């Protein structure tokens, strides 16, 4: 589906060069690829607006599908994917990768088991690098594709629902594009939400970090305790282009006392 010029703009080389570099066989037709290679499973990664087309073409072949997030840019297209997979009787999934982080899974299990009592507040932080990785003209910068609100916002909204054990019923947000003027989308946003359970949630979404920084942090306050992840081993850390400087370890006497 995409022109050679568009591919070169996105990955810095043409399809033939890419195939030669990684010893891959090129196909123009995904259905032909499945049949020729006898595949059991396929990973679909394309424009969010086109994912449903590929799913509908591949599902009838009986191959199982892992579909990159976001699986669609409209609810109607997402439902078309679901119906195609149900008709074909195949297994299909899209990637809530946050749920498979070992630390976050353990935290969720403890929360669900009642280790901190009733969930009162949830805070989630996710950073995903920077929008500078997508050059001008790249499909990701097409407003139709939804941008970070769709492709990254779903991480934090899913995390809030998962950790809070309740659906979001009210939501407020502030967001802006501060450091990536070539993009039509926000590069940072903050959300405050109310859950059906009456718990209050917030989320920080960063898409402008060009230096090492934790990908996830969660903080869940309960009626009988709290759980917090930091993905760092220190209380105070400075992050920047020159690296990471740690000031003080978290396991200090004041925390443990």
């Amino acid at each position: 589906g995409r022109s050679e010029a568009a591919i070169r703009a996105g990955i810095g080389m043409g399809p033939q060069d890419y195939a030669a570099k990684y010893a891959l066989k090129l196909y123009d037709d995904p259905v032909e690829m499945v049949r020729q290679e006898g595949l059991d499973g396929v990973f679909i990664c394309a424009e969010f607006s086109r994912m449903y087309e590929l799913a509908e073409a591949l599902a009838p072949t009986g191959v199982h599908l892992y579909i990159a997030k976001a699986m669609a840019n409209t609810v109607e297209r997402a439902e078309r994917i679901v119906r195609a997979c149900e008709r074909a009787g195949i297994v299909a999934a899209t990637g809530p990768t946050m749920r498979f982080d070992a630390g976050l899974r353990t935290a969720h299990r403890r929360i669900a088991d009642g280790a901190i009592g009733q969930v009162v507040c949830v805070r989630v932080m996710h950073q995903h690098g920077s929008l500078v990785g997508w050059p001008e003209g790249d499909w990701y910068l097409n407003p139709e594709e939804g941008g970070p609100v769709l492709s990254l916002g779903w991480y934090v909204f899913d995390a809030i629902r998962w950790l809070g054990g309740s659906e979001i019923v009210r939501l407020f947000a502030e967001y802006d594009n501060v450091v990536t003027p070539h993009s039509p989308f926000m590069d940072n946003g903050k959300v405050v939400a109310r859950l059906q359970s009456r718990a209050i949630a917030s989320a920080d979404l960063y898409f402008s970090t060009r230096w090492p920084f934790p990908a996830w942090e969660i903080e869940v306050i309960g009626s009988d305790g709290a759980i917090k992840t930091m993905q760092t081993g220190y209380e105070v850390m400075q992050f920047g282009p020159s690296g990471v400087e740690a000031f003080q370890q978290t396991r200090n006497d004041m925390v443990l006392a």
Side-chain angles (χ1 to χ4, degrees), residues 125-145:
M125 181 282 292
H126 177 54
Q127 75 84 14
H128 208 83
S130 171
L131 277 164
V132 297
W134 284 269
E136 290 189 47
D138 191 89
W139 69 264
Y140 187 84
L141 301 181
N142 180 351
E144 180 190 6
E145 303 300 336

Side-chain angles (χ1 to χ4, degrees), residues 62-212:
V63 72
H64 302 296
L65 305 178
Y66 183 86
I67 305 169
K69 56 82 185 170
M71 62 186 284
N73 66 334
T74 69
V75 173
E76 188 270 335
R77 287 171 175 172
E79 290 174 343
R80 285 179 61 168
I81 292 174
V82 173
R83 289 195 295 269
C85 294
E86 288 177 340
R87 284 194 302 267
I90 62 171
V91 175
T94 189
T97 50
M98 169 272 304
R99 295 193 182 208
F100 294 92
D101 176 276
L104 301 184
R105 282 170 65 89
T106 301
H108 172 263
R109 185 166 57 250
R110 292 192 178 198
I111 294 165
D113 288 344
I116 62 172
Q118 178 185 350
V119 173
V120 177
C121 288
V122 179
R123 183 184 72 85
V124 174
M125 181 282 292
H126 177 54
Q127 75 84 14
H128 208 83
S130 171
L131 277 164
V132 297
W134 284 269
E136 290 189 47
D138 191 89
W139 69 264
Y140 187 84
L141 301 181
N142 180 351
E144 180 190 6
E145 303 300 336
V149 172
L150 178 63
S151 62
L152 301 186
W154 86 306
Y155 279 124
V156 295
F157 297 131
D158 181 61
I160 288 172
R161 296 168 59 245
W162 186 52
L163 296 168
S166 182
E167 296 297 327
I168 297 171
V169 295
R170 190 164 67 241
L171 185 144
F172 307 88
E174 284 286 348
Y175 54 91
D176 205 345
N177 182 320
V178 180
V179 298
T180 44
H182 78 288
S183 165
F185 305 118
M186 71 162 202
D187 55 23
N188 286 280
K190 290 182 178 286
V191 172
V192 176
R194 172 74 73 171
L195 305 188
Q196 195 169 33
S197 64
R198 295 180 59 208
I200 300 169
S202 66
D204 302 320
L205 184 58
Y206 304 140
F207 209 12
S208 62
T209 53
R210 308 180 195 182
W211 49 83

Side-chain angles (χ1 to χ4, degrees), residues 3-22:
S3 68
E4 181 166 341
I7 293 172
R8 286 188 178 278
I11 64 175
M13 64 180 79
Q16 296 291 345
D17 297 330
Y18 187 88
K21 181 177 181 179
Y22 295 102

Side-chain angles (χ1 to χ4, degrees), residues 11-64:
I11 64 175
M13 64 180 79
Q16 296 291 345
D17 297 330
Y18 187 88
K21 181 177 181 179
Y22 295 102
L24 301 173
K25 185 176 180 180
L26 284 178
Y27 286 92
D28 294 322
D29 183 345
V31 174
E32 179 189 0
M33 178 186 71
V34 168
R35 290 172 176 163
Q36 290 290 331
E37 303 294 338
L39 302 178
D40 296 317
V42 170
F43 174 40
I44 297 178
C45 184
E47 293 96 324
F48 309 138
S49 60
R50 289 189 57 235
M51 232 89 86
Y52 78 100
E53 297 175 351
L54 293 167
E56 288 180 332
L58 288 165
T61 69
V63 72
H64 302 296

